[in-house]
Amino acid sequence: MSSDSEFTTEPKEYQHDDDGGPQPEKHCGHGRGGMGEEVARKEDKRFITGRGNYVDDIKKPGMLHCEIVRSPHAHARVENIDGSRAMDLDGVVAVLTADDLLEHDLATMPTLMDDTQDVLVNEKVKFQSQEVAAVIAEDRYTAKDGAEKVKVDYEVLDPVVDAAEALEDDAPLIREELDDQEDNHIFDWDTGDKEATEEAFAEADVTVTEQMEYQRLHPAPIETCGAVADWDPGNDKMTVHMTSQAPHAHRTLFSQVSGIPEHKVRIVSPDVGGGFGNKVPIYPGYVVAAAASYVLERPVKWIEERSENIQTTGFARDYDMTGEIAATEDGVIQGVKVDVLANHGAYNAAAQPSKFPAGFFNIFTGSYDIEAAYGSLTGVFTNTAPGGVAYRCSFRVTEAVYLIERMVKVLADELGVDPAEIRRRNFIPSDAFPYESATGWNYDSGDYEKALDKALEMADYESYREEQKRRIEEDADKLLGIGISSFTEIVGAGPGKQCDIAGIEMFDSADLRVNPTGNAVLRVGVQTQGQGHETTFAQIVAEELGMDVDNIVVEHGDTDTEPYGLGTYGSRSTPVAGAAAAVAARKVRDKAKSIAANELEAAEEDIQWDRQSGEFHVAGAPDRSITITEIAAGAYMNHPGSEEPGLEATNYYDPPEMTYPFGSYIVVVEVDRETGEVDFEKFVAVDDCGNRINPMIIEGQIHGGLAQGIGTAMLEHVTYDDNGNVTGGDFMNYLLPTANEIPNFETGHTVTPSPHHPIGAKGVGESPTVGSPPAIVNAVVDAMSHASVTHVEMPMTPDRVWESLNEAGLALDPSQNVSFDFEGGQSDEPADD
């Protein structure tokens, strides 16, 4: 393999903009469309014309429909299940219970954290809406009617939904079926150097502490979970169309659960209407549909309702965190301590592939050069839905970033130092990379001060600080707050030495085949849910081979045709599968060089590759050149005797390290002292994701992530009452941001290539969701910090903000607001009590 096929970024071969990245160009259906060009998304044509193909679009001859019977109780023993009234309905084919699944060894399934979860409950319900039985019918409506007629007798037990209360001595035992389980404690985990950290705190001039909650969220993808299972008894083969972010991993798990040999299991993940981590786990509905199809020998479809999706599938966050910082009187951070109580729900089913129980939470030192750090975490069972998915983040990185960015703000306020300045004093210097953090992570590259400076300039930071002072001095009705978040994320799961799913190391794959006529098919092991893989991966190949991007098709989501891969989550698509695609293309380019020499009748060592023209030419004779299209024909029709026919290559890429995208976000808000309402004045996001593949797609990813960050900070929360009832389990109560809540975003970028990645890329899809919540909370707190307000819990609803205003003596008397005279308009008279 030639030297340009090694794991290098080749930065000098790209045309760069002022920030060091590939210069954006428009691609309008002609030309190459390689790295750095704003190529229109190929997949959008079918999406915007209604030609997408989702799981619920799958229809099979003789297909049956599955409806799950769910428990109304959060904690109860199942005493009896009577499905006779359901079976009396015309069109009901079967009522399945745990006893039926036990006959086929399908009553339980493994989670991704070495726990075992009921598929259908046999003895005890452990959270509200848990799966108890299933009705299989000729159509969906009959299945729903049948489910309502299944009678289940329960002995209701006391539930516990709060993690701290679950650890109390008198708390009800949730997992009594586990051997030696005497309480609701799952695990303890720690990271860092405790002794060194305690020493740093003992010697510090200043210490600050803050307790904060990262509330339970739900990814709430627009498409709920579902599956169509089709057992073929003639070929002993199970085909499952399902909403999967990781089809190959799910095939392996399906085989392990069912006992069907893996080569007889096919998983097809067609178009997926959003995932955000929610479609990484295997859910009982998938298994029930497959079991029903196996027993009844007919296709069976299962599709969730929205409330089922929110109430029972993988949630995110639910971390109760206490952070502490030790610093000098000048604000130089000397140590960080973290203590976390993690609510894992009724089963330990966190969907994260690292070898650490808390995922990558140990990146809680963030962007800062901190010598001593120690973190401890306790996981707890509660009577709530299991999960802990990486909702648009890399496995608890979001919680870690929120913690450190909030704590830096707390420290700045304690010392009276500007939040931007205190970050400068503590950033990891740009010349210190690669940098090993106090908790053992190897940051690949970064220039944090450059990103912050750009964000400050875009935000007109100093002018807003002056305006903030003016409003405080004039006792204005609306306070101004400015929040900063300078975050570092860890993505690209990942090195097999650190990451696996069910023991399978976290490599990924690409298979590239160039046809005789010069077009190509790239098959990848990752699965798109809206990220634009069909476009960006084609651009990588176009860049590496000098092909037109329109002549490259990207395929994914079918385990019978695609190479084995571990799926899409944790921003791993570009860092891992994108790298695999680049290296596969370079392997093809190496073979193409031999064929070019044959076609040009020159020695192979005299053949040179020109990235700019996308051609091979003879050294010293640039007019003697050949394109990949001409080479492809030669590969099949005039191949050299030293080479096999064809032009194709496969690569499995296990990254040597993670990649570390970063950024600085600045949010300016107005806080209404009378109502507690928060309005966004300015929202600036500067990201660095390494070398940029498609600036337009990056922009879209950032906009979507920032909107989700606003939802996290201001609106979203899965809540429970004392009886374990989900009180935030539908879109009437679980509030998502709409166009009314989303401000205009101003985006910018810097480019710091990853030194170990084949194309210098880092990943960007999750950074805005990671970085924006602390910036928003910091802004709201900043509006009140002159009155010693240090924290407001998310979601920062108007009532919560008003309570903070009131406690700080900042709330306005509502009787002094302006009233309205409906005959004469606005009045200056005080409103009546």
Side-chain angles (χ1 to χ4, degrees):
M1 187 177 292
S2 62
S3 61
D4 63 4
S5 296
E6 297 173 358
F7 296 168
T8 60
T9 62
E10 304 181 0
K12 295 180 181 178
E13 297 194 54
Y14 296 130
Q15 186 177 8
H16 293 276
D17 63 13
D18 291 340
D19 287 305
Q23 181 174 348
E25 299 177 8
K26 299 290 183 182
H27 178 79
C28 303
H30 58 274
R32 283 166 55 194
M35 287 276 293
E37 295 191 38
E38 293 188 343
V39 177
R41 287 179 18 137
K42 296 182 171 200
E43 45 271 83
D44 282 352
K45 180 178 180 180
R46 69 177 185 272
F47 292 149
I48 64 177
T49 58
R51 291 177 171 84
N53 184 37
Y54 300 90
V55 167
D56 202 22
D57 294 321
I58 305 297
K59 295 178 175 61
K60 300 272 189 178
M63 186 173 70
L64 301 171
H65 294 259
C66 172
E67 185 72 15
I68 303 293
V69 178
R70 300 183 180 276
S71 168
H73 308 291
H75 200 195
R77 299 194 193 282
V78 177
E79 296 184 328
N80 185 57
I81 302 174
D82 182 0
S84 59
R85 291 197 307 153
M87 288 300 298
D88 289 340
L89 285 179
D90 290 340
V92 170
V93 176
V95 175
L96 300 181
T97 67
D99 289 339
D100 299 303
L101 298 184
L102 279 168
E103 295 180 12
H104 301 279
D105 294 324
L106 294 174
T108 60
M109 62 183 194
T111 72
L112 296 180
M113 291 292 287
D114 298 322
D115 199 356
T116 300
Q117 180 173 342
D118 293 310
V119 176
L120 296 176
V121 173
N122 187 37
E123 294 181 350
K124 192 174 79 165
V125 167
K126 302 174 185 70
F127 61 95
Q128 189 186 49
S129 294
Q130 188 171 7
E131 300 82 356
V132 175
V135 174
I136 314 299
E138 297 287 349
D139 61 76
R140 190 171 186 179
Y141 301 102
T142 302
K144 285 183 174 295
D145 290 342
E148 291 179 358
K149 291 185 177 298
V150 174
K151 187 176 185 298
V152 184
D153 295 325
Y154 297 97
E155 176 195 350
V156 179
L157 306 172
D158 291 333
V160 57
V161 297
D162 179 80
E165 293 177 3
L167 290 179
E168 294 177 359
D169 292 340
D170 59 350
L173 180 61
I174 298 169
R175 298 296 303 279
E176 56 193 32
E177 83 279 10
L178 297 178
D179 293 338
D180 302 322
Q181 186 76 30
E182 298 179 352
D183 54 26
N184 296 315
H185 175 269
I186 306 175
F187 63 82
D188 292 308
W189 170 83
D190 66 355
T191 183
D193 189 327
K194 185 175 183 179
E195 183 177 343
T197 305
E198 293 294 351
E199 184 177 341
F201 271 79
E203 298 175 355
D205 297 327
V206 179
T207 62
V208 291
T209 302
E210 189 65 63
Q211 190 276 334
M212 62 197 74
E213 178 187 358
Y214 211 126
Q215 76 273 28
R216 180 174 289 220
L217 301 170
H218 197 278
I222 192 170
E223 178 197 32
T224 61
C225 296
V228 177
D230 187 5
W231 171 250
D232 179 358
N235 293 302
D236 291 335
K237 184 167 185 175
M238 176 67 76
T239 299
V240 185
H241 288 75
M242 61 185 289
T243 50
S244 171
Q245 293 183 230
H248 284 280
H250 283 171
R251 183 187 69 183
T252 299
L253 291 171
F254 253 98
S255 175
Q256 292 175 344
V257 171
S258 68
I260 301 171
E262 191 166 359
H263 70 292
K264 292 287 189 178
V265 178
R266 178 189 180 197
I267 303 295
V268 181
S269 191
D271 291 327
V272 179
F276 312 120
N278 183 240
K279 293 169 183 173
V280 176
I282 287 183
Y283 296 115
Y286 298 150
V287 179
V288 170
S293 179
Y294 181 84
V295 172
L296 300 172
E297 297 187 355
R298 291 174 64 179
V300 176
K301 176 185 283 190
W302 166 71
I303 301 291
E304 286 180 317
E305 296 286 349
R306 174 60 60 188
S307 59
E308 292 176 299
N309 181 256
I310 294 178
Q311 293 174 19
T312 69
T313 61
F315 69 90
R317 322 301 189 237
D318 213 340
Y319 264 30
D320 189 351
M321 304 181 288
T322 300
E324 299 179 68
I325 283 181
T328 68
E329 60 184 9
D330 295 326
V332 176
I333 301 174
Q334 298 170 302
V336 177
K337 287 195 292 189
V338 180
D339 185 60
V340 179
L341 188 61
N343 186 341
H344 277 228
Y347 300 94
N348 192 18
Q352 62 93 5
S354 80
K355 297 183 184 298
F356 314 106
F360 302 148
F361 184 79
N362 42 8
I363 197 177
F364 62 79
T365 54
S367 306
Y368 308 106
D369 186 11
I370 302 172
E371 292 187 3
Y374 177 73
S376 61
L377 183 143
T378 297
V380 183
F381 289 126
T382 65
N383 289 118
T384 63
V389 300
Y391 168 29
R392 202 163 185 171
C393 85
S394 290
F395 324 115
R396 304 299 188 175
V397 167
T398 303
E399 293 91 323
V401 167
Y402 181 72
L403 177 89
I404 189 63
E405 288 305 300
R406 284 291 299 114
M407 290 307 302
V408 170
K409 166 64 174 167
V410 172
L411 178 63
D413 288 345
E414 174 69 19
L415 296 175
V417 179
D418 185 275
E421 175 58 29
I422 207 161
R423 284 171 167 79
R424 293 186 200 281
R425 295 178 188 178
N426 290 284
F427 278 150
I428 301 166
S430 59
D431 60 0
F433 293 92
Y435 172 87
E436 183 175 350
S437 75
T439 56
W441 289 102
N442 295 308
Y443 293 28
D444 55 356
S445 62
D447 192 339
Y448 302 142
E449 191 164 0
K450 182 178 181 180
L452 177 60
D453 286 344
K454 183 162 189 173
L456 292 171
E457 180 182 359
M458 290 174 62
D460 197 11
Y461 182 76
E462 294 300 331
S463 294
Y464 274 111
R465 282 293 177 206
E466 290 300 318
E467 172 65 10
Q468 181 185 46
K469 292 177 184 177
R470 184 191 68 79
R471 294 196 188 192
I472 293 172
E473 291 169 357
E474 296 180 2
D475 198 28
D477 292 354
K478 292 187 178 181
L479 299 171
L480 200 70
I482 306 128
I484 302 175
S485 171
S486 291
F487 64 91
T488 294
E489 198 188 358
I490 177 172
V491 306
K497 61 187 178 184
Q498 295 171 328
C499 303
D500 66 66
I501 284 184
I504 307 164
E505 294 185 351
M506 295 289 290
F507 58 83
D508 230 288
S509 57
D511 178 84
L512 177 63
R513 300 180 182 183
V514 183
N515 298 319
T517 51
N519 43 47
V521 177
L522 176 70
R523 296 185 173 96
V524 292
V526 292
Q527 170 64 38
T528 185
Q529 309 107 46
Q531 294 90 341
H533 293 171
E534 294 171 34
T535 305
T536 54
F537 286 2
Q539 287 183 260
I540 293 171
V541 173
E543 181 72 32
E544 296 294 340
L545 294 183
M547 297 181 69
D548 191 313
V549 70
D550 293 332
N551 292 331
I552 303 164
V553 171
V554 177
E555 296 181 355
H556 49 80
D558 189 334
T559 60
D560 269 11
T561 55
E562 271 68 80
Y564 199 104
L566 276 296
T568 297
Y569 35 86
S571 264
R572 66 184 305 273
S573 296
T574 296
V576 189
V583 176
R586 292 174 187 180
K587 289 180 178 180
V588 166
R589 199 168 73 203
D590 281 349
K591 184 174 182 179
K593 184 177 182 180
S594 172
I595 299 168
N598 188 59
E599 293 290 316
L600 295 172
E601 298 180 344
E604 185 173 343
E605 56 267 25
D606 291 334
I607 299 298
Q608 297 180 342
W609 162 253
D610 185 342
R611 183 180 291 275
Q612 295 300 320
S613 67
E615 296 177 337
F616 289 95
H617 63 81
V618 179
D623 57 319
R624 294 180 63 195
S625 62
I626 188 170
T627 67
I628 195 71
T629 300
E630 296 166 313
I631 290 171
Y636 291 91
M637 303 169 188
N638 187 32
H639 69 279
S642 59
E643 295 279 4
E644 293 180 351
L647 193 56
E648 59 188 62
T650 299
N651 182 254
Y652 285 84
Y653 181 79
D654 184 10
E657 292 289 350
M658 311 286 276
T659 61
Y660 293 79
F662 61 92
S664 279
Y665 294 171
I666 297 179
V667 175
V668 182
V669 299
E670 277 190 337
V671 177
D672 191 312
R673 294 170 59 194
E674 180 185 343
T675 65
E677 291 182 285
V678 176
D679 290 322
F680 292 98
E681 283 285 299
K682 187 174 281 284
F683 206 125
V684 170
V686 174
D687 280 277
D688 193 314
C689 60
N691 283 335
R692 292 152 62 86
I693 301 171
N694 187 320
M696 183 170 58
I697 287 180
I698 291 172
E699 190 87 351
Q701 288 284 292
I702 291 171
H703 282 197
L706 293 178
Q708 288 178 306
I710 290 171
T712 294
M714 310 302 297
L715 298 167
E716 300 179 43
H717 193 185
V718 178
T719 52
Y720 296 84
D721 66 18
D722 291 341
N723 293 318
N725 298 311
V726 184
T727 54
D730 55 45
F731 282 164
M732 290 293 290
N733 298 287
Y734 189 85
L735 303 179
L736 296 180
T738 69
N740 288 330
E741 288 78 38
I742 304 303
N744 290 325
F745 301 127
E746 299 176 38
T747 60
H749 69 277
T750 61
V751 175
T752 313
S754 172
H756 61 72
H757 191 273
I759 58 174
K762 293 186 175 185
V764 74
E766 296 170 340
S767 293
T769 312
V770 170
S772 57
I776 297 167
V777 176
N778 283 343
V780 173
V781 171
D782 188 67
M784 301 179 279
S785 60
H786 64 286
S788 300
V789 174
T790 61
H791 186 60
V792 180
E793 292 286 12
M794 300 188 296
M796 295 183 297
T797 53
D799 58 319
R800 279 187 171 176
V801 175
W802 189 88
E803 286 175 4
S804 294
L805 287 164
N806 192 48
E807 290 173 3
L810 295 173
L812 288 179
D813 183 350
S815 68
Q816 299 301 312
N817 72 333
V818 175
S819 65
F820 284 84
D821 177 351
F822 289 99
E823 292 183 356
Q826 183 171 309
S827 168
D828 291 331
E829 294 295 324
D832 292 334
D833 290 339

